[in-house]
Amino acid sequence: MKLIFEKSVSGRMGVTLPKPGVPKSDLNIPEEYLREDLNLPELSEIDVVRHYTSLSLKNFGVDSGFYPLGSCTMKYNPKINESIASFPGFRNSHPYQPEGGSQGALQLMYKLSNYLCEITGMDAFTLQPAAGAHGELTGLMMAKAYLKKKGEERKNILIPDSAHGTNPASSVGCGFDTIKIETNRKGTVDLEALAAAADENTAVLMITNPNTLGIFEKDIVNISKIVHSHGGLVYLDGANMNAMLGIVKPRDMGVDMMHLNLHKTFSTPHGGGGPGGGPVGVREFLKDFLPAPIIEKKKDKYILNYDVTNSIGRVKPFYGNFGVMVKAFTYIRMLGSQGLKDVAENAVLNANYLMRKLKEDYLLPYDVVCKHEFVISGENQKKDGVSTMDIAKRLLDYGFHPPTIYFPLIVKEAMMIEPTETESKQTLDEFADAMHKIAEEAKTNPDIVKSAPHITPTRRLDGVLAARKPIVKYKPSDSDV
Ligand SMILES: *Cc1c(COP(=O)(O)O)cnc(C)c1O
């Protein structure tokens, strides 16, 4: 396929501009700022539409097929979310509008925060953080400010070894030290290891529940008690809230602070680094540390309160990614409380159904009832010389997006699969069939798996070269790359 620059025809245009109504002026642009050769593509509207449509057809998304990317909750995003987010009143509102002129937007944010409080049992939320990792950083900054105010110099963040890489990254980014807590043979936090690590230097335990193996930490109440008994705080990485909506509230697990991923659980599109939402919820005693401003209701008016005594300050320009909030709000309103509970139940049912089917061909390192996702291993296939990477690439030939692979790090040849609640039994069966065929191929015709993918627009890429020498700027000489 040609690059858009190569399709350029000198003088071709996609728009008809009106004649200028003012006389041409000599701008006297200094020589050094003059650019002769901009090299912008010149195309008609239909050229552009065809170019981008054909590019989009080479891509894979939730709208084109099953996307069981573990830890990412790639659920189908109902299109009503988009319709509501593009209401002119929402779309055209400006963050510099005075409070009086943005009551609707403020009301939506206020109500969304209240729904999130209701769902999680937390006392207050900030909607500012733009992603989960950003929420983690925000939470830890608040913990730091809180401990400082109490006159305590606690340095350590305890993190289970199954945690998402963002947990230690956020901790270090916030100036803490991290201590790894081992996972036991049941796939949950080892209580003895935790008890041994927790002491008067413990600032925060960052825990993911259900954890990244898809297993519910059923000792969570005791885990929180251990941390609290040493004066530490419990932070929940709430990226896996999809498994718990309407069933259990993090507050009841002893959680002091947490983030949610609006772009996972609450159905706003993600992938490709687009705007996200990582609201952070806290219990009452931490409310005063939230990023200012917070949205409050005074009589019948919604206001932005900048007077938050111990606030860590703003963590995002304005109030966060508003469009994402509208989509999450729409999703919650559309489903209602029963609908949200159904989400969690069906997510868990789908995961367990698929796990049982795949267990026939693949190693299941933690063979227990899972929540919304599970981890299998390609170790059996590895014996035939077929790696998990090969299996992932072969899935592309069968029309599926591969699962998350080689994560969590504690499982060799890991494949982390999250089917989500929006997939039908037929889709799950088709995926299980493809996985079964690949397991057979690994035994009878391993070369076809090892050389996959065969039918995608590009064959297997050199991942190392792409990472080490990425071509990010067009030069005419690159056109044959
Ligand atoms: C996705 C995820 C994160 C990070 O969230 P982002 O929005 O990608 O920054 C953290 N922890 C877990 C368990 C996750 O699945």
Side-chain angles (χ1 to χ4, degrees), residues 6 112 155 178 250 292 338 380 387 425:
E6 294 164 324
L112 176 60
K155 284 296 286 175
T178 59
Q338 184 57 44
N380 292 343
S387 69
K425 179 173 175 293

Side-chain angles (χ1 to χ4, degrees), residues 401-421:
H401 194 286
T404 297
I405 56 172
Y406 300 113
F407 181 78
L409 305 175
I410 54 175
V411 174
K412 280 191 200 140
E413 298 296 313
M415 284 179 260
M416 186 190 205
I417 300 176
E418 180 178 8
T420 83
E421 72 283 0

Side-chain angles (χ1 to χ4, degrees), residues 150-167:
K150 275 178 64 179
E152 294 181 7
E153 276 275 341
R154 292 166 176 255
K155 284 296 286 175
N156 296 340
I157 309 280
L158 311 184
I159 304 176
D161 58 4
S162 62
H164 197 277
T166 50
N167 291 188

Side-chain angles (χ1 to χ4, degrees), residues 71 131-133 136 164 166-167 208 212 237 239-240 259 261 263-264:
S71 200
E136 292 168 21
H164 197 277
T166 50
N167 291 188
T208 309
T212 60
D237 177 333
N240 293 342
H259 77 259
N261 298 57
H263 46 286
K264 294 179 182 174

